[in-house]
């Protein structure tokens, strides 16, 4: 027996509650039943991410942009007006000069093009978005934890393979870390350290890629099929196409971001012109569709079609002590027996309790 187990056994044997406080003994066999739709939580975290982005865009447009265009007041050359790599944009930006956040921000100066992060890179958008961010972060962490529980029970029931189970459990910790460290984009300021700032976003990119991959793998491994997709054959065909697209676009996106993080410079081909844009922006947009937009549609489909995760919450009764304070074993005191001793608190009464009826499982899913 471990040290902790011995300590717990010793202390629990000396713990009890008075039988006089058992207000409704007949209810002590009750349990809490929760039906949780894991994919509904996934819907919530993706929607919350879009809410965060929308708020950041509004804040950036109406609060940040006018401040940056005005430039440093009274010759201020600190913070965003430090002129860092200002010669990399056209027209050049010198120390203290104002600049356009869409075309001359510090990401453009370093990577050659901007991305969604620029919307929360500067005050006051950075601080306000940081307060909104937890609605996304906490929902994502809750989703990952419930998805781990669902994977475990699916494996125990034989509905997914050992290979899938091991892959998921191996990826679980990196996904948690990638999600948790995304907050560093609000701590490491872009105009002070572009590499460290991008590293936070790089972690989230890895997490979103792993979530998209593991969910597609789940559909394939669990032999899921949808009649409107052509049954098992059609479902498998679409899942494999989607998986192939992720495996093509995601390494490109991660390579571009990783090059900024580890080399502090853009990849040469990312600045090649593609239509009216550059290759880096095209890769960004395609990656966003396959790892944020389409996963929302898949999560909605699975949320309305797959069974919920049923969770039963219960707690064993503690030892009950008699009127003289002597602890008695719970087994010697029937759960539905109402104490007959006089109660010191005369104002407390034990009401009659109706016989228990069979619990009815809730039909709705909670998330």
């Amino acid at each position: 027996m471990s040290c902790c187990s011995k300590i717990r056994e010793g202390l629990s044997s000396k713990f009890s509650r008075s039988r006089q406080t058992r207000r409704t003994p007949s209810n002590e066999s009750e349990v809490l039943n929760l039906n949780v739709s894991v994919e509904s939580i996934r819907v919530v975290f993706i929607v919350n991410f879009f809410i965060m982005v929308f708020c950041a865009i509004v804040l950036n447009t109406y609060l940040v942009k006018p401040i940056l265009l005005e430039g440093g007041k009274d010759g201020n050359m600190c913070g965003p007006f430090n002129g860092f790599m200002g010669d990399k944009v056209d027209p050049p930006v010198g120390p203290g000069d104002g600049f356009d956040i869409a075309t001359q921000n510090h990401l453009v100066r370093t990577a050659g093009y901007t991305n969604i992060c620029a919307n929360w890179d500067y005050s006051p958008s950075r601080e306000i978005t940081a307060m909104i961010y937890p609605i996304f972060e906490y929902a994502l962490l809750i989703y990952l934890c419930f998805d781990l529980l669902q994977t475990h029970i699916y494996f125990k029931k034989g509905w997914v393979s050992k290979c899938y189970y091991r892959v998921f459990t191996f990826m679980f910790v990196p996904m948690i870390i990638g999600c948790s460290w995304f907050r560093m984009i609000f701590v490491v300021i872009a105009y002070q350290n572009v590499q460290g700032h991008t590293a936070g976003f790089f972690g989230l990119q890895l997490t979103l890629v792993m979530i998209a991959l593991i969910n597609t793998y789940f559909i394939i491994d669990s032999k899921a099929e949808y009649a409107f997709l052509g049954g098992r054959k059609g479902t498998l065909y679409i899942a494999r196409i989607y998986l192939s697209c992720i495996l093509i676009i995601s390494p490109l996106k991660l390579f571009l971001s990783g090059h900024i993080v580890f080399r502090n410079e853009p990849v040469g081909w990312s600045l090649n012109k593609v239509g009216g844009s550059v290759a880096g922006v095209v890769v960004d947009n395609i990656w966003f569709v396959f790892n944020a937009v389409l996963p929302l549609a898949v999560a909605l489909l699975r949320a309305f079609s797959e069974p919920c995760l049923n969770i039963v919450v219960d707690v064993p009764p503690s030892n009950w002590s008699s009127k003289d304070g002597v602890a008695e074993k719970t087994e010697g005191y029937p759960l539905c027996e109402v104490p007959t001793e006089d109660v010191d608190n005369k104002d407390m009464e034990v009401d009659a309790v109706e016989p228990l009826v069979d619990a009815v499982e809730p039909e709705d899913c909670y998330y």
Side-chain angles (χ1 to χ4, degrees):
M1 184 182 297
S2 65
C3 180
C4 291
S5 298
K6 290 180 179 179
I7 294 174
R8 179 173 179 81
E9 181 180 344
L11 292 178
S12 62
S13 65
K14 294 176 174 59
F15 172 79
S16 64
R17 289 189 173 93
S18 174
R19 288 168 53 184
Q20 299 173 0
T21 62
R22 297 180 72 183
R23 296 171 179 82
T24 53
S26 58
N27 289 345
E28 290 176 5
S29 60
E30 290 291 319
V31 296
L32 179 63
N33 283 283
L34 298 175
N35 281 357
V36 180
S37 173
V38 179
E39 287 303 301
S40 293
I41 304 177
R42 186 182 176 198
V43 171
V44 171
F45 95 68
I46 297 176
V47 170
N48 287 352
F49 176 73
F50 286 128
I51 292 174
M52 183 187 75
V53 171
F54 175 77
C55 292
I57 292 174
V58 173
L59 293 168
N60 182 59
T61 302
Y62 294 101
L63 297 181
V64 176
K65 187 175 182 178
I67 297 175
L68 297 182
L69 283 174
E70 187 178 351
K73 295 182 179 179
D74 302 325
N76 178 22
M77 295 183 292
C78 299
F81 306 111
N82 55 16
F84 174 72
M85 297 183 69
D87 58 333
K88 298 293 184 180
V89 292
D90 186 24
V93 179
D97 293 345
F99 59 91
D100 177 34
I101 191 172
T103 60
Q104 297 172 308
N105 65 65
H106 288 74
L107 287 178
V108 174
R109 302 177 199 180
T110 304
Y113 56 93
T114 190
N115 61 30
I116 199 172
C117 274
N119 292 294
W120 51 69
D121 280 353
Y122 303 93
S123 296
S125 178
R126 181 176 66 251
E127 292 81 0
I128 300 175
T129 305
M131 292 187 289
I132 301 172
Y133 166 68
I135 68 172
F136 161 66
E137 179 191 27
Y138 296 161
L140 176 50
L141 291 173
I142 292 171
Y143 164 73
L144 291 174
C145 292
F146 274 110
D147 205 19
L148 177 65
L149 291 177
Q150 180 169 260
T151 298
H152 188 75
I153 191 63
Y154 267 60
F155 173 65
K156 292 192 70 174
K157 290 179 177 291
W159 296 344
V160 293
S161 65
K162 181 182 290 187
C163 180
Y164 173 84
Y165 177 74
R166 287 180 174 175
V167 169
F168 185 95
T169 52
F170 174 79
M171 296 171 64
F172 178 74
V173 173
M175 288 190 291
I176 291 290
I177 294 175
C179 170
S180 302
W181 287 358
F182 178 59
R183 68 184 66 181
M184 296 307 295
I185 62 172
F186 304 111
V187 178
V188 182
I189 302 176
Y191 52 78
Q192 294 179 346
N193 185 349
V194 176
Q195 287 178 276
H197 177 80
T198 306
F201 193 36
F202 183 72
L204 180 65
Q205 292 171 22
L206 278 171
T207 299
L208 294 180
V209 169
M210 287 188 285
I211 289 175
L213 289 173
I214 202 68
N215 275 277
T216 309
Y217 183 22
F218 174 84
I219 292 176
I220 296 173
D221 187 74
S222 64
K223 306 296 189 292
E225 58 183 74
Y226 294 91
F228 62 89
L229 295 179
R232 174 61 184 163
K233 184 177 180 180
T235 304
L236 187 61
Y237 179 74
I238 293 176
R240 285 175 174 172
I241 292 178
Y242 178 60
L243 184 63
S244 300
C245 292
I246 295 176
L247 291 174
I248 292 173
I249 194 63
S250 294
L252 294 176
K253 170 62 176 175
L254 294 174
F255 177 69
L256 294 179
S257 299
H259 209 269
I260 298 295
V261 173
F262 299 106
R263 299 287 298 275
N264 197 31
E265 62 181 11
V267 180
W269 59 263
S270 67
L271 302 179
N272 294 340
K273 288 290 184 179
V274 178
S277 185
V278 295
V281 174
V282 174
V283 171
D284 271 4
N285 293 337
I286 297 176
W287 178 88
F288 189 79
V289 170
F290 279 96
N291 289 274
V293 179
L294 290 181
L296 176 59
V298 175
L300 281 168
L301 173 62
R302 292 182 57 189
F304 284 107
S305 58
E306 295 184 2
C308 297
L309 187 66
N310 179 252
I311 302 175
V312 180
V313 183
D314 193 12
V315 60
S318 60
N319 294 330
W320 298 104
S321 61
S322 59
K323 185 169 65 174
D324 57 5
V326 179
E328 300 176 354
K329 288 291 184 181
T330 301
E331 294 79 12
Y333 186 63
L335 286 177
C336 295
E337 178 184 333
V338 179
T340 57
E341 290 86 4
D342 294 334
V343 179
D344 293 336
N345 185 0
K346 300 299 183 182
D347 296 330
M348 184 174 63
E349 298 179 357
V350 179
D351 296 328
V353 181
E354 294 296 330
L356 291 174
V357 296
D358 292 331
V360 179
E361 273 195 18
E363 296 180 356
D364 299 328
C365 299
Y366 305 103
Y367 52 87

